[in-house]
Structures are given as structure tokens and as C-alpha cells.
Amino acid sequence: MRFVRGAVLLVPLLFTAAVFAWPLGTLAVHAFGSGDAVSLTRAWEATGAWRLLGVTAAQAAGSAAAALVVAAPIVWLISTVRLPGTGLLRIVVTLPFVLPTVVVGVAFRALFDGPLGFLGASQGWTVIIAAHTFLNVAVVVRVVSAAWQRVDPRQVAAARTLGASRTRAFLGIVAPRLLPAAAAAFALIFLFCSTSYGVIVILGGGQARTLETEIYQQGIGYARLPEAVALSVLQIVMVLVALAVARLLGSARVPQAGVMTRARRPRGLAWIAVGAVLVWTAVWLVLPIVTLVVRSLRPGGHWGLAGYRMLTDDTYGTSATSSLWYSVTSALLATVIAVVVGLLGAAALTRGGGIVTRAGAALSLLPLGVSAVTLGFGYVLALSRLPYEVAASPLVVPCVQALIAIPVVIGVMVPAFEQVSPRLRDAAATLGAGPLRVFVTVDLRLTARSLSAAAAFAFVMAIGEFGATTFLARANTTTLPVLIGSLMGRPGADNYAAAMAASVLLVAVSAVVVATAELTAAARGEKKTDAHAD
Amino acid sequence: MKRSAQTFRGVLALGLATVLGAGALACTSSDPADEVNLMTHDSFELPQRLVEKFQDDTGLKLNIMRSGDAGQLSSVVSLTPGSPKGDAVYGIDNTFAARPIEAGALEPYTSPLAANGAADFAIENHVDQLTAVDRGDVCINVDDDWFDDKGVAAPTSMDDLTKPEYRDLTVLMDPATSSPGMSFLLATVGRYGNKARDYWRDLSGNGAQIVDGWEIAYNQVFSAGEGHGAKPIVVSYASSPAATPGTHAILDSCFAQIEYVGVLKGARNVDGAKKVVDFLLSPEVQAALPTAMYVYPVQKNVPLPADWRQRAPAPSWTVKMSPDYINAHREEWLTQWRETVGR
């Protein structure tokens, strides 16, 4: 039995080895095995790597901190206030994630050149961090609010009865229980932003330079593979350190609970706070998307559907509808793979399984922090060594999309599983449930909200993925983000409107998938809450 | 409780079935002689009827594999010479062409159609490696309406951009992150030679704004673009005025960005790849290039669309530079450019 469990938990390790370590290893051997290779230290020196490392870490940490601050009021609203439409809010926050960075970049340029022009910051780190925040608020909102809803309200009530003030009860009871989730969210955002490329290049005006932009410049601009790989090595070390720190901060043991906080209707003054938070959310999350919709409907300054018409007629050899179909099926497959492998990884991390398995599960977070260019080159090399039939398999793209989504599934599920009381698991086991059944009926049921968030993130990441998968182009399959990028590169009002229309389509489809995940979670998880409520 | 365990098992089984099903699909891939795979950059477009015509004429299924921008495409092709992902590659331009040639990733082929124009753009010393298909000329674009409104004469040459009357009116792209930005840098090198650095210094001293890429420069900062920005002078293409009435391109100092097609060494279907090269030089495809990809045909006697003839004629003289020369100096010019404009 123990052997079987160990074997199952090895799945994330093997998957990561096949889809991550092998291509990177192949690339490293290729880059440093050739005659004109340079040593690691020389490459770091030549590219000014240490300064880039500092800038990268600083902007990633800054972006993650900003996202925590911006998200805090929204987390409070979703977790504690009962309002019609908070479910909708959970869906809306997830959507920015799906937008191709070129669209986000242009939208923020438009915003900071236009309505926010008085700030005088149309490019530079301020705008970059604002865009990163916009993209990543969802991570904080979904991960931390799920944790908040698992805090036992009876403990807060007890503290209040014993004389603790509202603030003290929050700081003493709620905050420590949110810490692991907040640390996990911080780590995920740090990873996302450390490999951010499009946003940094577009909003930095080409002047902002990080490890990632330099890897692109060395690898593609100058065709210097050893330098690109050397910088990636530094990237990996930085990510490992960040993960270790997040793990230390986040693993403070807190008492678990199997009950869920019940949201309350706002009363009196609370309405003002609620209103303020709603405005805050609208400014950060809704406004940019509304801008997108408006622009898709106003080609050349006149209202019209030309943009949408262009997507459905034969203006482009592969019409948007077929791109959409390919993107959605591929992303759904990637989501299934990511959720299955990610759940196994998260289970391994939270429930022992030996040092090797745990280390493996932790390492499966790494791919999120490694340059898409490096990974892409690795795939090109590794696949060229496989028989054509394997290399051309339609499974390759979903596997790579899954590789990048798995860290998110693990990052979301680990703090969730840690809050599940082991006593409940023991009880189920004592009553005769097998390990799989315990996992499904105890762990998954209590973490339904987090699971739906994980699946939603996996999907939006897979469908919006614009990095490593572009190196894996397969015949006659254009993803929607690629189509959008190519439309953005054409002159004329109609092409621009078509790019915006395709982005709206991408957002709309993602909204449907995220809403489905949300409703499924609500059906499974909230039954429990209601049972407790009365 | 029991039901959710079953659901979970159901989901697992479904996932497994999908994975295996997809795997089985992959194993039944067709005979390499029946299809031909063309690797392209992401902006490749051709009318569907032409693709169908190729398939009817040759009996080959034409598969398009979009593989990133031109830089990424040439890197990928050069990385695995002899074991390519496709049979032919289209979209490597003269700024990147030296890489796949140097890597030995291409199979020699000279199309019988090339003599009618394409051969004029062939790469010196490597004429049979790549075949020119089209050219996109990177030129300064001017918003005529803006200058009419202000009652100022629009600039007429590259030299004018450094004059005080055009202070703060120009938007350029970083050559490190933008391919038209790189082409403009090459145009200045071609025109001013050793004095190019002085030109950049004067240009940046005259308040030229620099952004990362064409999307921002043209769509956001350019006054005639969708963002109705503040700058009436932008680096773009000779063809852009065809899509943006009220603008024109200054044709005195353009850089011709030539896009090539080549047969990949080790291709599974070399004959099919050669047919693709011929196809791209055929009169129908050449005539469709302007509206499909905003580029000019290289073959002779191919009529341009009417609005192109009026608003977006091809420049008669352009800066020309060999890919080897560009490749040898790219990094040096980029570094100099960075130092000169202070970035």
C-alpha cells in the first residue's frame, strides 16, 4: 500500500523530469558542449547578470507586494460580506490573466497616456508594476479568500466573547490562518513576474531590462545560447531561493478547521466600505476590460461590428473561430493534466511521502520561474531527437501548457490541504475509507473552492500561454493569442478592432469556463456551509 | 460520499481516455509524401482559395506552422540543421538570413520562376539557399492631416527629422526589440555610414521618442493611428499609408526588408517543399501579397491594388545590405545605438 502511494506521488516528479528537466538538460549540453562555449561566470560578467538579477527580484517582489495590497479589500469583501454577485467578482478577477501581454501592454499605454496622463508615467517601472498588479490580483483574491472561508467562525466568536476587540480577534485568529495562503500567493506572483516579458518590454519602452528580457536578447537577438542558458541558471537559483523562503514563511503550523466562515450581509456603515471596495475593484479590474470591449466596437472612431465581422469571415486564412476551437480544446486537455498532476504534487507536499517525493513536488513549481525562451529552445532540441510521430503528437502542446499550470495548481492547493484537519482524515480512514476515498471525500470536498480556483487558473494560463508553446508550432493550429498578436502587427482601424474583438472573445470564453468551475465548486462545497448555517 | 468518489474516478478515466485517444490520433499521421509542412512567422496569411489551389494542383496538403516572429523562426530553424520540424521555411528576412545559412540548415534550390524578379534579391554568394518572395520597405511615415492643420510643411527626407521645426514630433522603435526598428537603424547606417552615430545623437537630441515596438509606436503614439497620439512622424512601412488614408511614406531612404523562402535540409518531403517555393513565386500569390501581408511582390509585372498604386507605391531606391554584413555587425551597431541615445 505504502509502495503504491509512493509510486503515485512520483507522477509529478516523472512528469517534470520528462517535460522540464530533459529539454533543459539537452539545451545545456548543446550550449556548453560546443566549441565557442564560455564559462558560466564569464557569461554572467558579459551580460551584467548580477544587476539584472537584482532588478528582476526587486520588480517581482514589488509587483507581488502591490498585488497583495490592492487585493486585500477585495479579499475581505468576497470572504466576509454576503452580497449577490460576489461569485461574479471571483470570476471577473481571474479574467485579466488570460489576456496576451501585448493587449495588456497596449491597454495600459492607452490608460497612462490618456485618462491617467496627469501621472506623467506612460512608461517605466510604475506602469509595469501597475500592469503586473492588474494581472495578478486574481491570485491573491482566489487563494487567500478560500483560506479565509475555511477559518472557523466559532474561534473568532470565542475570542470576541472573551473581550478581544475586532482588530485583535482578526490579528490573533484570522491573520495567522491566512498567512500560509498569502505566502503562497506571494510566491506564485513572484514567479510570474520574474519571467514576465511582454509587459516589461512594452511598458518599459525597451529600457527596463531584466533577466528574462536579456535571455531573449541573447538567445534570439544575438543567437548566443550559452549566455542565455547561463542567465537561466541564475533565474533557477533565484526561484529556488524564493520558493524556500515562501515555504518557511508559509508553513507556520496553524490549527485547522473543518467549518467554513459564513458571509454576513453588510449593515449600516459597512455599506460604505462595501461600496468603496466595489469601486476599487471596478477601477482595477473592470475598467481595463470595458476599455477593450469599447475599442473592439469602435474601429476608426465609429461604432461598428467590422472587427467582429473580420473574425468570422475569410479575411484571415485561419479564421478566429477555428483558432478559438483549437485553443479551447488544447487548454482543456492541459487543465485536466495540470489538475491531476498538480493535485498529486500538492498531496505529496502536504502529506509526507518521503524526502525525494517532497523535493520533487517542490521542484515542479520551478517551470513557472524559467524563461520561456530557454524552455522553448530546449523543446526544439529535445523534440528533434525523437521520432517524428512522437514529436508531432497533438499531446505535446497541452503537456507544455500543463507544465506551466501545474505550479499554480500546487501553489493554490498546498495551503488549502494544510488547513484540512488530519483528524477528519483519520476518522474517515477508521470508518473504512481507502486512501483515495479519504482524499476525495475529505480533502477535495473541504477544498472545493481552492480546487475550482486551481482549475480556473490552469485553464486561463493554458489558453493565454504565449511563451514556450510558440516554439512548438504544429501544423494548421493557430492559437487565439498568436492570432491577436499578428492582428496587432497590422496597420489600419479594422485590423486593430479585430485584435480587440479577438481579445474580447478570449475573455468571454474564459469567463464561461471559469464560471463553470465556480458553479461546480459552489454545488459541491457550499452544501457543507449551508448545513452548518442553520 | 460514494458518488463523489465515483465522479473523481470518472474524471480520471475521462482524462486518461482523452490522452490515449489523442496519442492514437498521432500514430495515424499520414504519409509524408502526401503533405508538405511550411514553417512561417506568425504574421503569415494567404487567401484560403490560393492554398486550396495549391492543394488541387499538386495533390499535396499544405500545412502552415506558425513559429513566432522572424527572429524566433530563424533561431529555431538554425538550432537543428538536418532534422527540421517542417519541409520549407518562409519569413526569414535579410536581417536574419545569415543564421540558417551559416548553420547549414537549408537545402539548395533555384526555382525556375525566380529569374523573373526574385533573383534580383538573391543573397550574394548563397543564391540557391533562399529565394526572395516579397519585400516590406521600412520608411518614415508622416501624418499629412496633422501638418495641414498646423500649417507646417511636412518633412521630406530623413535629414529633416533632426531640424528644429520637427522637434519632439518623431516616434521611433528600439532596434533591439523591434524588427522595423532594426531596419530603420540599418537604413541610417546605409545612408550615413560612419556618420550614422551623429545622426542618432542629433535625432535623439531633437526629442525623438523611442518605444519598444511598432504596435505601440503606430497604434498608440502616432497621431494618425488608432490611439490618436501626439507624434505625426513615425517609423513604419511604405505600405502602411494604404491602410491609413491621410498619411504618406517618405521614400528617399527606406530599408528593404526582404522575406525569403527556403527548402529545409533533411526535410521529409523535399519535392513538396520545392513546389511551395514555386507556388509563392506564382503570379496569383505574388498579386495577393499586398492585401494579405502588407508587403510588395518581388516578381515583375505583378499589378499592385489600385489604392496601393495611389497611396503606397514601392520606393524605387532603397538601402541594401548583405545578410552576412548585417549579421557580422548587428551586436556592434546595437551597442553603439544604445550608448548614443543613452539607453
PDB file of all heavy atoms in Angstrom, chain A residues 406-436:
ATOM      1  N   ILE A 406       0.853  23.567 -13.737  1.00  0.00           N
ATOM      2  CA  ILE A 406       0.978  22.710 -12.550  1.00  0.00           C
ATOM      3  C   ILE A 406       1.457  23.490 -11.315  1.00  0.00           C
ATOM      4  O   ILE A 406       0.902  23.340 -10.226  1.00  0.00           O
ATOM      5  CB  ILE A 406       1.910  21.508 -12.834  1.00  0.00           C
ATOM      6  CG1 ILE A 406       1.178  20.517 -13.738  1.00  0.00           C
ATOM      7  CG2 ILE A 406       2.357  20.823 -11.555  1.00  0.00           C
ATOM      8  CD1 ILE A 406       2.069  19.446 -14.315  1.00  0.00           C
ATOM      9  N   PRO A 407       2.483  24.356 -11.466  1.00  0.00           N
ATOM     10  CA  PRO A 407       2.912  25.115 -10.287  1.00  0.00           C
ATOM     11  C   PRO A 407       1.776  25.898  -9.656  1.00  0.00           C
ATOM     12  O   PRO A 407       1.717  26.037  -8.432  1.00  0.00           O
ATOM     13  CB  PRO A 407       3.966  26.074 -10.859  1.00  0.00           C
ATOM     14  CG  PRO A 407       4.454  25.417 -12.089  1.00  0.00           C
ATOM     15  CD  PRO A 407       3.315  24.633 -12.641  1.00  0.00           C
ATOM     16  N   VAL A 408       0.870  26.398 -10.489  1.00  0.00           N
ATOM     17  CA  VAL A 408      -0.231  27.168  -9.935  1.00  0.00           C
ATOM     18  C   VAL A 408      -1.182  26.261  -9.171  1.00  0.00           C
ATOM     19  O   VAL A 408      -1.631  26.580  -8.060  1.00  0.00           O
ATOM     20  CB  VAL A 408      -0.985  27.914 -11.063  1.00  0.00           C
ATOM     21  CG1 VAL A 408      -2.074  28.777 -10.480  1.00  0.00           C
ATOM     22  CG2 VAL A 408      -0.004  28.737 -11.871  1.00  0.00           C
ATOM     23  N   VAL A 409      -1.463  25.085  -9.744  1.00  0.00           N
ATOM     24  CA  VAL A 409      -2.335  24.141  -9.039  1.00  0.00           C
ATOM     25  C   VAL A 409      -1.706  23.781  -7.694  1.00  0.00           C
ATOM     26  O   VAL A 409      -2.366  23.800  -6.650  1.00  0.00           O
ATOM     27  CB  VAL A 409      -2.570  22.876  -9.896  1.00  0.00           C
ATOM     28  CG1 VAL A 409      -3.397  21.864  -9.130  1.00  0.00           C
ATOM     29  CG2 VAL A 409      -3.260  23.248 -11.205  1.00  0.00           C
ATOM     30  N   ILE A 410      -0.401  23.478  -7.708  1.00  0.00           N
ATOM     31  CA  ILE A 410       0.277  23.121  -6.454  1.00  0.00           C
ATOM     32  C   ILE A 410       0.264  24.308  -5.489  1.00  0.00           C
ATOM     33  O   ILE A 410      -0.075  24.167  -4.310  1.00  0.00           O
ATOM     34  CB  ILE A 410       1.734  22.669  -6.740  1.00  0.00           C
ATOM     35  CG1 ILE A 410       1.712  21.367  -7.526  1.00  0.00           C
ATOM     36  CG2 ILE A 410       2.516  22.509  -5.434  1.00  0.00           C
ATOM     37  CD1 ILE A 410       3.076  20.795  -7.842  1.00  0.00           C
ATOM     38  N   GLY A 411       0.592  25.486  -6.024  1.00  0.00           N
ATOM     39  CA  GLY A 411       0.643  26.676  -5.178  1.00  0.00           C
ATOM     40  C   GLY A 411      -0.693  26.991  -4.530  1.00  0.00           C
ATOM     41  O   GLY A 411      -0.753  27.478  -3.400  1.00  0.00           O
ATOM     42  N   VAL A 412      -1.778  26.736  -5.235  1.00  0.00           N
ATOM     43  CA  VAL A 412      -3.108  27.025  -4.689  1.00  0.00           C
ATOM     44  C   VAL A 412      -3.536  25.924  -3.718  1.00  0.00           C
ATOM     45  O   VAL A 412      -4.142  26.188  -2.677  1.00  0.00           O
ATOM     46  CB  VAL A 412      -4.139  27.166  -5.836  1.00  0.00           C
ATOM     47  CG1 VAL A 412      -5.554  27.249  -5.287  1.00  0.00           C
ATOM     48  CG2 VAL A 412      -3.829  28.387  -6.685  1.00  0.00           C
ATOM     49  N   MET A 413      -3.203  24.675  -4.037  1.00  0.00           N
ATOM     50  CA  MET A 413      -3.748  23.565  -3.249  1.00  0.00           C
ATOM     51  C   MET A 413      -2.963  23.269  -1.973  1.00  0.00           C
ATOM     52  O   MET A 413      -3.535  22.764  -1.010  1.00  0.00           O
ATOM     53  CB  MET A 413      -3.823  22.285  -4.113  1.00  0.00           C
ATOM     54  CG  MET A 413      -4.833  22.358  -5.249  1.00  0.00           C
ATOM     55  SD  MET A 413      -6.461  22.976  -4.774  1.00  0.00           S
ATOM     56  CE  MET A 413      -7.089  21.625  -3.770  1.00  0.00           C
ATOM     57  N   VAL A 414      -1.657  23.575  -1.944  1.00  0.00           N
ATOM     58  CA  VAL A 414      -0.884  23.252  -0.745  1.00  0.00           C
ATOM     59  C   VAL A 414      -1.426  23.967   0.505  1.00  0.00           C
ATOM     60  O   VAL A 414      -1.732  23.304   1.505  1.00  0.00           O
ATOM     61  CB  VAL A 414       0.627  23.512  -0.960  1.00  0.00           C
ATOM     62  CG1 VAL A 414       1.369  23.570   0.362  1.00  0.00           C
ATOM     63  CG2 VAL A 414       1.216  22.418  -1.840  1.00  0.00           C
ATOM     64  N   PRO A 415      -1.595  25.299   0.451  1.00  0.00           N
ATOM     65  CA  PRO A 415      -2.143  25.926   1.662  1.00  0.00           C
ATOM     66  C   PRO A 415      -3.547  25.438   1.975  1.00  0.00           C
ATOM     67  O   PRO A 415      -3.946  25.370   3.149  1.00  0.00           O
ATOM     68  CB  PRO A 415      -2.142  27.426   1.316  1.00  0.00           C
ATOM     69  CG  PRO A 415      -1.953  27.527  -0.139  1.00  0.00           C
ATOM     70  CD  PRO A 415      -1.268  26.288  -0.594  1.00  0.00           C
ATOM     71  N   ALA A 416      -4.303  25.068   0.964  1.00  0.00           N
ATOM     72  CA  ALA A 416      -5.656  24.573   1.205  1.00  0.00           C
ATOM     73  C   ALA A 416      -5.615  23.229   1.922  1.00  0.00           C
ATOM     74  O   ALA A 416      -6.288  23.031   2.947  1.00  0.00           O
ATOM     75  CB  ALA A 416      -6.406  24.451  -0.120  1.00  0.00           C
ATOM     76  N   PHE A 417      -4.791  22.311   1.425  1.00  0.00           N
ATOM     77  CA  PHE A 417      -4.703  20.996   2.063  1.00  0.00           C
ATOM     78  C   PHE A 417      -4.185  21.112   3.491  1.00  0.00           C
ATOM     79  O   PHE A 417      -4.556  20.342   4.365  1.00  0.00           O
ATOM     80  CB  PHE A 417      -3.771  20.073   1.268  1.00  0.00           C
ATOM     81  CG  PHE A 417      -4.398  19.498   0.026  1.00  0.00           C
ATOM     82  CD1 PHE A 417      -3.614  19.040  -1.017  1.00  0.00           C
ATOM     83  CD2 PHE A 417      -5.782  19.405  -0.089  1.00  0.00           C
ATOM     84  CE1 PHE A 417      -4.194  18.500  -2.163  1.00  0.00           C
ATOM     85  CE2 PHE A 417      -6.372  18.868  -1.230  1.00  0.00           C
ATOM     86  CZ  PHE A 417      -5.574  18.427  -2.268  1.00  0.00           C
ATOM     87  N   GLU A 418      -3.278  22.107   3.715  1.00  0.00           N
ATOM     88  CA  GLU A 418      -2.695  22.214   5.052  1.00  0.00           C
ATOM     89  C   GLU A 418      -3.729  22.612   6.095  1.00  0.00           C
ATOM     90  O   GLU A 418      -3.551  22.385   7.285  1.00  0.00           O
ATOM     91  CB  GLU A 418      -1.530  23.211   5.038  1.00  0.00           C
ATOM     92  CG  GLU A 418      -0.249  22.511   4.590  1.00  0.00           C
ATOM     93  CD  GLU A 418       0.918  23.440   4.426  1.00  0.00           C
ATOM     94  OE1 GLU A 418       0.695  24.673   4.379  1.00  0.00           O
ATOM     95  OE2 GLU A 418       2.047  22.940   4.316  1.00  0.00           O
ATOM     96  N   GLN A 419      -4.819  23.234   5.623  1.00  0.00           N
ATOM     97  CA  GLN A 419      -5.857  23.636   6.574  1.00  0.00           C
ATOM     98  C   GLN A 419      -6.827  22.512   6.897  1.00  0.00           C
ATOM     99  O   GLN A 419      -7.658  22.643   7.780  1.00  0.00           O
ATOM    100  CB  GLN A 419      -6.631  24.828   5.996  1.00  0.00           C
ATOM    101  CG  GLN A 419      -6.061  26.163   6.429  1.00  0.00           C
ATOM    102  CD  GLN A 419      -6.905  27.296   5.910  1.00  0.00           C
ATOM    103  OE1 GLN A 419      -7.441  27.226   4.812  1.00  0.00           O
ATOM    104  NE2 GLN A 419      -7.032  28.345   6.690  1.00  0.00           N
ATOM    105  N   VAL A 420      -6.738  21.421   6.121  1.00  0.00           N
ATOM    106  CA  VAL A 420      -7.668  20.317   6.371  1.00  0.00           C
ATOM    107  C   VAL A 420      -7.216  19.560   7.625  1.00  0.00           C
ATOM    108  O   VAL A 420      -6.053  19.175   7.733  1.00  0.00           O
ATOM    109  CB  VAL A 420      -7.708  19.367   5.159  1.00  0.00           C
ATOM    110  CG1 VAL A 420      -8.525  18.134   5.485  1.00  0.00           C
ATOM    111  CG2 VAL A 420      -8.270  20.088   3.952  1.00  0.00           C
ATOM    112  N   SER A 421      -8.143  19.367   8.548  1.00  0.00           N
ATOM    113  CA  SER A 421      -7.784  18.717   9.796  1.00  0.00           C
ATOM    114  C   SER A 421      -7.462  17.247   9.566  1.00  0.00           C
ATOM    115  O   SER A 421      -8.260  16.504   8.996  1.00  0.00           O
ATOM    116  CB  SER A 421      -8.948  18.835  10.785  1.00  0.00           C
ATOM    117  OG  SER A 421      -8.747  17.924  11.831  1.00  0.00           O
ATOM    118  N   PRO A 422      -6.276  16.797  10.035  1.00  0.00           N
ATOM    119  CA  PRO A 422      -5.932  15.375   9.862  1.00  0.00           C
ATOM    120  C   PRO A 422      -6.898  14.470  10.621  1.00  0.00           C
ATOM    121  O   PRO A 422      -7.065  13.307  10.269  1.00  0.00           O
ATOM    122  CB  PRO A 422      -4.521  15.275  10.445  1.00  0.00           C
ATOM    123  CG  PRO A 422      -4.165  16.602  10.990  1.00  0.00           C
ATOM    124  CD  PRO A 422      -5.251  17.576  10.701  1.00  0.00           C
ATOM    125  N   ARG A 423      -7.569  15.040  11.659  1.00  0.00           N
ATOM    126  CA  ARG A 423      -8.491  14.205  12.440  1.00  0.00           C
ATOM    127  C   ARG A 423      -9.654  13.727  11.577  1.00  0.00           C
ATOM    128  O   ARG A 423     -10.151  12.632  11.723  1.00  0.00           O
ATOM    129  CB  ARG A 423      -9.014  14.984  13.642  1.00  0.00           C
ATOM    130  CG  ARG A 423      -7.998  15.039  14.770  1.00  0.00           C
ATOM    131  CD  ARG A 423      -8.495  15.930  15.862  1.00  0.00           C
ATOM    132  NE  ARG A 423      -8.838  17.258  15.313  1.00  0.00           N
ATOM    133  CZ  ARG A 423      -9.436  18.210  15.989  1.00  0.00           C
ATOM    134  NH1 ARG A 423      -9.802  18.006  17.227  1.00  0.00           N
ATOM    135  NH2 ARG A 423      -9.697  19.377  15.445  1.00  0.00           N
ATOM    136  N   LEU A 424     -10.073  14.641  10.641  1.00  0.00           N
ATOM    137  CA  LEU A 424     -11.169  14.240   9.758  1.00  0.00           C
ATOM    138  C   LEU A 424     -10.730  13.082   8.858  1.00  0.00           C
ATOM    139  O   LEU A 424     -11.481  12.149   8.603  1.00  0.00           O
ATOM    140  CB  LEU A 424     -11.618  15.420   8.892  1.00  0.00           C
ATOM    141  CG  LEU A 424     -12.405  16.509   9.629  1.00  0.00           C
ATOM    142  CD1 LEU A 424     -12.728  17.656   8.676  1.00  0.00           C
ATOM    143  CD2 LEU A 424     -13.682  15.919  10.213  1.00  0.00           C
ATOM    144  N   ARG A 425      -9.466  13.184   8.392  1.00  0.00           N
ATOM    145  CA  ARG A 425      -8.946  12.110   7.539  1.00  0.00           C
ATOM    146  C   ARG A 425      -8.898  10.808   8.335  1.00  0.00           C
ATOM    147  O   ARG A 425      -9.332   9.760   7.863  1.00  0.00           O
ATOM    148  CB  ARG A 425      -7.532  12.436   7.060  1.00  0.00           C
ATOM    149  CG  ARG A 425      -7.477  13.553   6.064  1.00  0.00           C
ATOM    150  CD  ARG A 425      -6.052  13.656   5.496  1.00  0.00           C
ATOM    151  NE  ARG A 425      -5.887  14.915   4.790  1.00  0.00           N
ATOM    152  CZ  ARG A 425      -4.969  15.819   5.102  1.00  0.00           C
ATOM    153  NH1 ARG A 425      -4.111  15.605   6.084  1.00  0.00           N
ATOM    154  NH2 ARG A 425      -4.891  16.934   4.407  1.00  0.00           N
ATOM    155  N   ASP A 426      -8.385  10.909   9.582  1.00  0.00           N
ATOM    156  CA  ASP A 426      -8.282   9.709  10.411  1.00  0.00           C
ATOM    157  C   ASP A 426      -9.644   9.095  10.644  1.00  0.00           C
ATOM    158  O   ASP A 426      -9.819   7.884  10.587  1.00  0.00           O
ATOM    159  CB  ASP A 426      -7.628  10.051  11.753  1.00  0.00           C
ATOM    160  CG  ASP A 426      -6.178  10.509  11.557  1.00  0.00           C
ATOM    161  OD1 ASP A 426      -5.654  10.267  10.448  1.00  0.00           O
ATOM    162  OD2 ASP A 426      -5.616  11.116  12.483  1.00  0.00           O
ATOM    163  N   ALA A 427     -10.624   9.982  10.905  1.00  0.00           N
ATOM    164  CA  ALA A 427     -11.971   9.479  11.161  1.00  0.00           C
ATOM    165  C   ALA A 427     -12.485   8.703   9.960  1.00  0.00           C
ATOM    166  O   ALA A 427     -13.019   7.595  10.094  1.00  0.00           O
ATOM    167  CB  ALA A 427     -12.909  10.649  11.475  1.00  0.00           C
ATOM    168  N   ALA A 428     -12.294   9.311   8.765  1.00  0.00           N
ATOM    169  CA  ALA A 428     -12.772   8.641   7.559  1.00  0.00           C
ATOM    170  C   ALA A 428     -12.068   7.297   7.377  1.00  0.00           C
ATOM    171  O   ALA A 428     -12.696   6.287   7.047  1.00  0.00           O
ATOM    172  CB  ALA A 428     -12.543   9.528   6.337  1.00  0.00           C
ATOM    173  N   ALA A 429     -10.740   7.295   7.659  1.00  0.00           N
ATOM    174  CA  ALA A 429      -9.975   6.059   7.476  1.00  0.00           C
ATOM    175  C   ALA A 429     -10.440   4.999   8.468  1.00  0.00           C
ATOM    176  O   ALA A 429     -10.580   3.822   8.123  1.00  0.00           O
ATOM    177  CB  ALA A 429      -8.485   6.330   7.632  1.00  0.00           C
ATOM    178  N   THR A 430     -10.696   5.432   9.723  1.00  0.00           N
ATOM    179  CA  THR A 430     -11.157   4.494  10.740  1.00  0.00           C
ATOM    180  C   THR A 430     -12.477   3.859  10.329  1.00  0.00           C
ATOM    181  O   THR A 430     -12.748   2.701  10.584  1.00  0.00           O
ATOM    182  CB  THR A 430     -11.359   5.217  12.088  1.00  0.00           C
ATOM    183  OG1 THR A 430     -10.234   6.051  12.297  1.00  0.00           O
ATOM    184  CG2 THR A 430     -11.505   4.225  13.220  1.00  0.00           C
ATOM    185  N   LEU A 431     -13.308   4.668   9.656  1.00  0.00           N
ATOM    186  CA  LEU A 431     -14.603   4.144   9.232  1.00  0.00           C
ATOM    187  C   LEU A 431     -14.493   3.281   7.988  1.00  0.00           C
ATOM    188  O   LEU A 431     -15.489   2.890   7.402  1.00  0.00           O
ATOM    189  CB  LEU A 431     -15.573   5.303   8.970  1.00  0.00           C
ATOM    190  CG  LEU A 431     -15.970   6.098  10.232  1.00  0.00           C
ATOM    191  CD1 LEU A 431     -16.764   7.327   9.868  1.00  0.00           C
ATOM    192  CD2 LEU A 431     -16.750   5.205  11.187  1.00  0.00           C
ATOM    193  N   GLY A 432     -13.244   3.027   7.541  1.00  0.00           N
ATOM    194  CA  GLY A 432     -13.054   2.054   6.469  1.00  0.00           C
ATOM    195  C   GLY A 432     -12.797   2.627   5.095  1.00  0.00           C
ATOM    196  O   GLY A 432     -12.767   1.876   4.124  1.00  0.00           O
ATOM    197  N   ALA A 433     -12.639   3.947   4.974  1.00  0.00           N
ATOM    198  CA  ALA A 433     -12.381   4.522   3.653  1.00  0.00           C
ATOM    199  C   ALA A 433     -10.937   4.272   3.238  1.00  0.00           C
ATOM    200  O   ALA A 433     -10.034   4.395   4.048  1.00  0.00           O
ATOM    201  CB  ALA A 433     -12.672   6.019   3.661  1.00  0.00           C
ATOM    202  N   GLY A 434     -10.745   3.929   1.975  1.00  0.00           N
ATOM    203  CA  GLY A 434      -9.391   3.742   1.445  1.00  0.00           C
ATOM    204  C   GLY A 434      -8.742   5.097   1.230  1.00  0.00           C
ATOM    205  O   GLY A 434      -9.419   6.123   1.315  1.00  0.00           O
ATOM    206  N   PRO A 435      -7.412   5.137   0.963  1.00  0.00           N
ATOM    207  CA  PRO A 435      -6.707   6.421   0.823  1.00  0.00           C
ATOM    208  C   PRO A 435      -7.323   7.315  -0.256  1.00  0.00           C
ATOM    209  O   PRO A 435      -7.461   8.520  -0.061  1.00  0.00           O
ATOM    210  CB  PRO A 435      -5.287   6.008   0.436  1.00  0.00           C
ATOM    211  CG  PRO A 435      -5.169   4.562   0.692  1.00  0.00           C
ATOM    212  CD  PRO A 435      -6.540   3.986   0.792  1.00  0.00           C
ATOM    213  N   LEU A 436      -7.699   6.729  -1.394  1.00  0.00           N
ATOM    214  CA  LEU A 436      -8.270   7.529  -2.472  1.00  0.00           C
ATOM    215  C   LEU A 436      -9.581   8.153  -2.033  1.00  0.00           C
ATOM    216  O   LEU A 436      -9.864   9.321  -2.253  1.00  0.00           O
ATOM    217  CB  LEU A 436      -8.491   6.661  -3.725  1.00  0.00           C
ATOM    218  CG  LEU A 436      -9.145   7.396  -4.889  1.00  0.00           C
ATOM    219  CD1 LEU A 436      -8.226   8.470  -5.435  1.00  0.00           C
ATOM    220  CD2 LEU A 436      -9.544   6.426  -5.998  1.00  0.00           C
TER     221      LEU A 436
END
